[in-house]
Amino acid sequence: MRTYLVTGGAGFIGSNFVHYMFRKYGDDIRIINVDALTYAGNLENLKAVEARDNYTFVKADIRDKEAIEKIFAENDVDVVVHFAAESHVDRSIRNPEVFVETNVIGTAVMLNAAKAAWENEDGSYKAGKKFLHVSTDEVYGSLSDPKDYFYETTPYDPHSPYSASKASADLLVKAYVDTYHFPANITNCSNNYGPYQFPEKLIPLVINNALSGKKLPVYGDGKNVRDWLYVDDHCKGIDMVIEGGKQGEKYNIGGHNERENIQIIKTIISTLKDILPDDDPRKANVSEDLITFVEDRKGHDRRYAIAPDKISKELGWLPDTKFEDGIRLTVKWYLDNMDWMENVTSGDYQAYYRKMYEA
Ligand code: NAD
Ligand code: TYD
């Protein structure tokens, strides 16, 4: 039975990936989820799998060399799927250090531990091992020409401390491939949306604020473009790269779903109005009047857009979910899971929200 070590499995994409893999492979795989449970990690996301015999949660920090080495010593790990990271650009602008520590040092710890566990005495690797490093399209910087796209060959040009830390981590993985022939792939994905996303990110923040009649903060002119991908389609891509990705290669994952932020916000408002029943008192709160233009994010990247040609041609990946369906599913999920929203927006997040938006 293949054993996956998933880091950051209690976060947004990580928890969706755990669900995706158990839906697809059932009892044929084992998953060890290693997560430090920062503000962004929530075990509630994994309630449905926690009783499984083939699922284990280990609370550990990827910067903690001893703890990570112990997990490799006690388990014959076949595949590492490395999601754990500090992931929010705005937080990275306020406090870059922890992004370097977790995203760069943490990745180095993971690489070293996997290499030590998997390497034979002659420098070759045990069969069937792979390290899948999950990264972002933000490492490529910002596109100005509307006809341009990010390809795997696009030079790295990160602008935020978040994207710089992810770019550094990607280059470390590449260095392990080039220097040690380490069995790894890198995936660079566009903006994900779907269930379990922490409401500091645009889509769940807008859903949550609109429902309670709070302002919808739009950075700058609202015309920055992001390329949105439904999270299950990302999980499918990661699984395909684990199965078929060529040694040392990187793959961009994105479904040609470019939207201006303001369009996204208006779509959420109309979807909420459409789904909420007339007798739901929250319906009266939902209005475009809540849209509030605020000071732009420092160094705000204008446009991201992925060319997924390589993963489509080599591995046959295509997204299954059209944006119109995905956003409806997402809005519906948050409406059906208001307890989840209330739990994650209490405490720490409230303090963060006040600091970010008090001006
Ligand atoms: P998230 O912030 O929702 O989750 C991150 C998870 O990592 C949390 O469970 C957190 O507790 C855990 N974590 C943080 N620091 C840790 C540490 N030091 N040790 C162990 N665990 C730690 O992030 P996400 O949106 O799910 O993103 C997952 C990965 O995908 C990240 O590497 C991110 O860069 C990448 N990515 C995200 C997007 C997106 O749109 N969200 C797009 C492309 C790539
Ligand atoms: P976000 O969800 O933080 O993802 P990323 O910065 O990684 O792309 O932001 C998506 C876009 O939405 C980005 O252009 C910034 C913008 N944005 C707002 O306009 N208002 C907000 O309150 C947030 C959180 C983001």
Side-chain angles (χ1 to χ4, degrees):
M1 185 189 284
R2 195 191 255 180
T3 297
Y4 293 77
L5 191 168
V6 173
T7 71
F12 163 46
I13 308 175
S15 58
N16 277 285
F17 181 75
V18 171
H19 290 298
Y20 177 90
M21 293 298 277
F22 281 135
R23 273 200 310 273
K24 178 161 180 193
Y25 297 104
D27 292 336
D28 296 340
I29 59 166
R30 191 173 155 236
I31 295 181
I32 305 166
N33 171 17
V34 177
D35 199 298
L37 300 183
T38 68
Y39 79 94
N42 185 355
L43 286 181
E44 238 188 294
N45 303 357
L46 295 156
K47 259 192 200 146
V49 302
E50 65 192 12
R52 296 187 77 102
D53 291 338
N54 56 343
Y55 169 78
T56 312
F57 172 69
V58 181
K59 185 172 184 305
D61 194 309
I62 57 165
R63 295 166 294 181
D64 183 344
K65 193 169 171 287
E66 264 177 41
I68 298 301
E69 285 175 353
K70 186 164 178 278
I71 298 167
F72 277 94
E74 289 173 355
N75 300 278
D76 183 13
V77 173
D78 297 301
V79 180
V80 172
V81 194
H82 180 37
F83 292 100
E86 289 290 335
S87 69
H88 190 36
V89 173
D90 292 327
R91 285 183 188 253
S92 83
I93 295 167
R94 285 179 172 261
N95 180 19
E97 286 92 338
V98 68
F99 284 73
V100 178
E101 286 164 15
T102 287
N103 300 0
V104 187
I105 311 282
T107 299
V109 169
M110 291 306 304
L111 287 167
N112 279 331
K115 179 172 174 289
W118 294 346
E119 203 172 20
N120 295 315
E121 274 183 12
D122 64 359
S124 65
Y125 292 89
K126 293 177 188 150
K129 306 297 184 188
K130 182 172 279 192
F131 191 103
L132 191 294
H133 174 65
V134 180
S135 189
T136 165
D137 59 356
E138 304 192 23
V139 297
Y140 299 119
S142 181
L143 295 163
S144 41
D145 182 337
K147 291 189 296 299
D148 272 356
Y149 290 91
F150 295 138
Y151 291 88
E152 287 79 2
T153 48
T154 302
Y156 276 23
D157 184 22
H159 297 127
S160 72
Y162 163 66
S163 54
S165 68
K166 292 297 290 187
S168 310
D170 292 13
L171 294 179
L172 256 184
V173 178
K174 181 182 179 304
Y176 272 59
V177 169
D178 294 348
T179 309
Y180 309 115
H181 305 293
F182 184 68
N185 287 122
I186 300 171
T187 54
N188 296 85
C189 185
S190 58
N191 285 62
N192 284 219
Y193 68 102
Y196 304 117
Q197 186 168 31
F198 194 79
E200 65 185 351
K201 304 279 168 63
L202 182 69
I203 287 181
L205 184 142
V206 167
I207 296 171
N208 192 33
N209 280 18
L211 284 171
S212 46
K214 273 163 83 179
K215 287 178 181 169
L216 309 177
V218 184
Y219 299 166
D221 63 4
K223 293 191 173 158
N224 298 64
V225 171
R226 296 295 181 263
D227 185 358
W228 294 94
L229 183 69
Y230 193 62
V231 65
D232 273 357
D233 286 327
H234 183 194
C235 296
K236 181 174 87 164
I238 291 171
D239 181 37
M240 283 179 149
V241 174
I242 292 169
E243 294 305 315
K246 291 189 192 143
Q247 163 57 15
E249 291 290 309
K250 77 205 292 292
Y251 295 87
N252 285 354
I253 312 182
H256 283 305
N257 246 315
E258 292 172 52
R259 299 279 194 288
E260 288 182 351
N261 294 336
I262 193 75
Q263 280 178 279
I264 293 288
I265 294 170
K266 289 184 177 171
T267 304
I268 293 171
I269 292 169
S270 62
T271 309
L272 275 169
K273 280 188 173 161
D274 192 36
I275 295 182
L276 283 168
D278 288 341
D279 60 357
D280 188 317
R282 293 170 302 175
K283 192 163 185 165
N285 294 332
V286 180
S287 155
E288 286 193 9
D289 295 344
L290 297 172
I291 293 175
T292 309
F293 290 88
V294 300
E295 191 189 327
D296 206 356
R297 174 186 276 171
K298 288 185 177 66
H300 197 175
D301 287 337
R302 191 64 172 169
R303 173 172 166 256
Y304 302 145
I306 285 257
D309 307 27
K310 180 174 171 179
I311 191 168
S312 301
K313 263 192 221 128
E314 281 187 20
L315 306 179
W317 178 87
L318 284 172
D320 294 322
T321 316
K322 284 199 304 221
F323 184 75
E324 292 65 30
D325 299 333
I327 198 71
R328 213 179 156 82
L329 282 173
T330 303
V331 168
K332 190 153 182 350
W333 186 87
Y334 285 99
L335 287 173
D336 291 344
N337 290 275
M338 285 315 288
D339 290 357
W340 181 92
M341 188 66 106
E342 272 155 34
N343 290 347
V344 300
T345 49
S346 60
D348 202 26
Y349 174 64
Q350 291 287 354
Y352 165 79
Y353 192 87
R354 277 195 299 274
K355 207 159 49 170
M356 268 308 294
Y357 295 106
E358 65 193 357

